[in-house]
Structures are given as C-alpha cells and as structure tokens.
Amino acid sequence: MIDITMDMEQYDCPFIDVTDDTDVTFSAVHWEFDTATEQLETRMVVEAGDRSALSQGLDALGAHAEMVSYTLLSKRQNVAHIRTTITQTSAMAAIRENDGYITGPFYIEDGSELWHIGFDERDRADSALYALDDTNDFSVVDRQEAEYPELQGFVQNAGAAMTLIEGCRGLSAVERKTLERAVQGGYFQSPRSATLGSLAEEFDVSKPAVSKNLRRSQRKVIQRVVDVLEELE
C-alpha cells in the first residue's frame, strides 16, 4: 500500500472556498462516495473563533454554487455538525480514475485541505499525482509504502488512535487553548519557561482559573491515554 498525505488546494471545492473567505475549519468525521451520481456525502465538524464567524461560514457554505445539499445537524457556541453533499471535484476524479481511495479524514483550513489517500500500486499513485498537477495546487507532505505487517499493525491500532482523538475532542475550547499554550510556552518543561501567572496574564483570568482549566484538560487527556495503553496491551 502506498499511503500519501498531501496539502491540497482545489479550485472547485466549496469547503476550501469557504475557509478561504471566512474564519472556519472543517473536519470530516464520515464520508461516502456515490459512484452512480458521482457525489460525495460527508458529515463535518465545523469550528470557528466565535459564534458570529461560525454563522458566517455556515451561511456561505449553504449558499455555495457547488453545494448539492446542506443540513445543519447541531450547533453549540462556536462548533457545528453538518451533513453535506457535493459534486465530484476534479481532484476526486483524478484519484478515483487511478484506483485511489481515502485512508483518513479531511481537514480543511485557510483555503487548503489535508488529504490522506492510498493506492495499491506505485505506478497508479504516480499517475494520480501527475493528473492532479494539471488542475490543482498541492504538495506531498508524506509518502510511505507500507508492507503487510506494518499495515496490519496500523489497522489493529486504529481503535486506540480514535480513543485518543475522541479524548481531545472532549476538551472544551478554553481547556484546549489553555493546554496548548501551556505546552507551547514550556509550562511542563524543567525548568519551566511558563508559569500559572504568565498563563493567567495571557488569558486575562486568575491563577486558580488557569489551574482549574489545566487540571481538567490533563485529566481528560491522560484518562484517554490510559485507555489507549490498555487497548494496546
């Protein structure tokens, strides 16, 4: 199996257009391609910096000319869950015509899309990349050729990976941002280059509030890590 990760800019993709014009991101949690109609149905998680940006992005997506159908399933604060159907893009066609298939979720932000695609044969992968180069801008982020034992291990551990991902999704926006800044700022290093005081000042909250958000985020993530370790055993 040839597994390719690429950063893709499609010119005929409504999701990319919307992230180019508004401050939203899309993460695909389910996708299914209908070969009869040549349409892609997806369920997406949409995130934005605030409610206003989310509403703006959702409105732009629903009104996009390439959108066949759009349904808002749920919305809470700055996160929404949607179901969509779009027509086949030129990039999708190039992948399918060369016997390619999706191996991981899409992530779309700032006018580009992270794709994970696979091929059974090296020449088909090369042919698809050549075809993509005609009508799309893309860069190959990673390319690996997995042998059967490696592929078997990946499949066996997919459930453990999803457990960890779900744990990250369980963080609130504040918990996630606090944990991210703590890690990036060096709070967990020795010696520390960030403190509760510096984090509290950055978020304009009290030290106890920062400490509480950190403890909550750590508890959620660490519990998922423990669950993953048990699954791997």
Side-chain angles (χ1 to χ4, degrees):
M1 173 184 173
I2 295 87
D3 190 43
I4 298 176
T5 301
M6 61 175 62
D7 191 5
M8 171 75 70
E9 293 184 34
Q10 301 184 73
Y11 301 125
D12 54 353
C13 175
F15 303 112
I16 288 180
D17 280 351
V18 170
T19 62
D20 208 17
D21 297 332
T22 65
D23 184 24
V24 296
T25 64
F26 296 98
S27 302
V29 294
H30 173 266
W31 56 92
E32 184 174 350
F33 190 82
D34 188 329
T35 56
T37 62
E38 295 190 337
Q39 294 178 345
L40 179 71
E41 179 181 317
T42 62
R43 284 170 176 78
M44 295 268 197
V45 172
V46 191
E47 294 185 77
D50 54 45
R51 294 182 181 181
S52 177
L54 179 63
S55 295
Q56 184 181 5
L58 294 177
D59 290 344
L61 184 67
H64 198 283
E66 299 296 331
M67 187 63 57
V68 176
S69 68
Y70 162 84
T71 304
L72 176 62
L73 300 175
S74 64
K75 183 168 70 170
R76 182 178 180 183
Q77 296 182 347
N78 63 326
V79 179
H81 185 204
I82 63 174
R83 182 175 64 219
T84 66
T85 303
I86 65 172
T87 55
Q88 177 175 253
T89 65
S90 63
M92 288 185 216
I95 299 300
R96 293 185 60 250
E97 287 167 4
N98 287 281
D99 300 325
Y101 42 88
I102 299 169
T103 60
F106 305 104
Y107 181 74
I108 310 167
E109 181 179 25
D110 293 334
S112 68
E113 182 174 11
L114 197 63
W115 268 29
H116 304 277
I117 55 175
F119 299 87
D120 295 325
E121 300 175 10
R122 187 181 304 169
D123 62 337
R124 303 302 287 170
D126 293 337
S127 179
L129 294 179
Y130 181 80
L132 285 171
D133 200 32
D134 286 342
T135 54
N136 301 273
D137 267 341
F138 73 93
S139 60
V140 175
V141 178
D142 187 38
R143 175 170 176 158
Q144 298 183 7
E145 298 189 25
E147 299 296 334
Y148 177 74
E150 295 174 337
L151 184 60
Q152 184 182 32
F154 173 79
V155 172
Q156 289 174 340
N157 294 328
M162 286 307 300
T163 296
L164 189 56
I165 290 171
E166 288 302 321
C168 294
R169 285 179 178 160
L171 297 175
S172 70
V174 172
E175 291 167 350
R176 184 183 67 197
K177 289 179 181 178
T178 304
L179 183 60
E180 286 175 351
R181 288 303 303 140
V183 172
Q184 293 165 359
Y187 178 80
F188 297 103
Q189 295 176 357
S190 181
R192 288 177 173 173
S193 51
T195 65
L196 286 178
S198 64
L199 291 171
E201 184 176 346
E202 181 174 347
F203 287 101
D204 194 24
V205 296
S206 65
K207 288 183 182 180
V210 168
S211 178
K212 181 175 67 175
N213 288 327
L214 270 180
R215 288 198 307 272
R216 285 178 175 174
S217 60
Q218 288 176 269
R219 184 172 64 250
K220 290 179 180 179
V221 173
I222 290 173
Q223 181 57 57
R224 290 293 185 168
V225 170
V226 172
D227 293 342
V228 165
L229 291 174
E230 291 176 351
E231 288 186 40
L232 292 177
E233 289 177 358

